Amino acid sequence: MNSPKVHIALADDHRMFLHALRALLEKEPDIDVIGVAGTGDELLALVADKPVDIACVDIGMPAMNGIETTRRLLTLRPNIKVIGLSAFSDRQFVLDLLNAGARGYVTKAEAGEELLRAIHTVQLGKTYLCPDVAATVTNALLDNTPRDTSVPRITARERQVLQLIAEGHTSGRIADRLHLAPSTVEVHRRNIMRKLDLHSVAELTKYAIRNGITTISG
């Protein structure tokens, strides 16, 4: 008797990677890729009326990043299990994603066999971190010396604002997207610059790209 298939949704703004990932997963007899999305909003629309067991979500998507997408997705469909995909294994991204409700994290460099392991592990109700990420988190727990404290020093909301600034949005558009007053966005902008000791939009953009908060350079 055949086991039921695992229904997968994929979300990533890099089309070549997205389609390569879909082709890889569709070779597996127990996996059914029910759809792909290029943004968080597209993923939310996709899962609203399709049977999805697991969503594989890129952390660095534009506009609504993978962490915020995960939060909204699990509010909409709490039974879906989320696996984060990222080019980065920074411990803060891992912790932020897990705190948002994700059950797995795989770096894109390991998105072949490791992603398949993650899917099968998460489907059983367990948490899965690929070796690179597991090593990063373990080292962080064992190391008393802070490694990169710049990312944790800004809040989740400030990270959202920083991403949108780096993607070229005005304060007005950021306010509309995040349902904030423009003056509140300006307060967040000043706080981000002060905390990170950055003094221009260009510096904020470079910082966001370097730390994987946005992938606009790709």
Side-chain angles (χ1 to χ4, degrees):
M1 182 176 178
N2 293 331
S3 300
K5 289 192 174 186
V6 182
H7 302 293
I8 305 287
L10 304 174
D12 195 298
D13 61 309
H14 293 90
R15 289 292 175 182
M16 289 183 63
F17 177 81
L18 187 63
H19 292 306
L21 196 58
R22 180 174 193 165
L24 170 73
L25 295 180
E26 286 181 336
K27 294 178 181 178
E28 300 299 313
D30 61 341
I31 290 177
D32 179 21
V33 179
I34 59 92
V36 298
T39 67
D41 286 327
E42 288 178 7
L43 178 63
L44 295 180
L46 176 65
V47 304
D49 59 359
K50 289 185 180 292
V52 176
D53 299 308
I54 295 175
C56 300
V57 181
D58 174 28
I59 287 186
M61 291 187 295
M64 188 196 308
N65 64 32
I67 295 168
E68 182 62 22
T69 298
T70 296
R71 290 193 185 99
R72 297 192 187 188
L73 175 62
L74 294 177
T75 298
L76 178 68
R77 296 282 303 278
N79 291 332
I80 291 178
K81 301 175 179 69
V82 175
I83 298 172
L85 299 171
S86 178
F88 301 88
S89 59
D90 181 275
R91 63 180 176 180
Q92 193 60 37
F93 291 136
V94 179
L95 295 176
D96 283 349
L97 191 70
L98 294 178
N99 287 335
R103 302 298 295 270
Y105 193 112
V106 176
T107 60
K108 290 185 176 182
E110 297 183 286
E113 291 298 322
E114 286 302 323
L115 181 57
L116 293 174
R117 290 191 186 96
I119 288 170
H120 292 130
T121 301
V122 165
Q123 182 63 7
L124 294 174
K126 302 177 182 179
T127 298
Y128 187 88
L129 303 178
C130 71
D132 278 358
V133 171
T136 297
V137 173
T138 301
N139 289 338
L141 292 173
L142 296 176
D143 187 0
N144 292 324
T145 303
R147 296 172 69 166
D148 179 6
T149 59
S150 57
V151 175
R153 281 191 289 141
I154 62 175
T155 66
R157 176 64 83 187
E158 288 167 348
R159 195 172 293 114
Q160 281 183 299
V161 172
L162 173 56
Q163 178 183 356
L164 293 170
I165 290 172
E167 290 168 2
H169 295 281
T170 64
S171 292
R173 290 190 64 184
I174 295 171
D176 288 342
R177 181 174 288 275
L178 300 181
H179 307 292
L180 301 172
S183 59
T184 302
V185 174
E186 286 301 318
V187 170
H188 283 312
R189 184 198 296 263
R190 289 195 295 270
N191 286 340
I192 294 165
M193 287 182 162
R194 174 179 55 80
K195 289 179 178 182
L196 301 180
D197 193 25
L198 301 174
H199 309 287
S200 69
V201 171
E203 289 182 353
L204 289 173
T205 301
K206 290 178 182 177
Y207 177 91
I209 294 170
R210 188 169 61 248
N211 287 280
I213 293 171
T214 183
T215 57
I216 59 170
S217 63

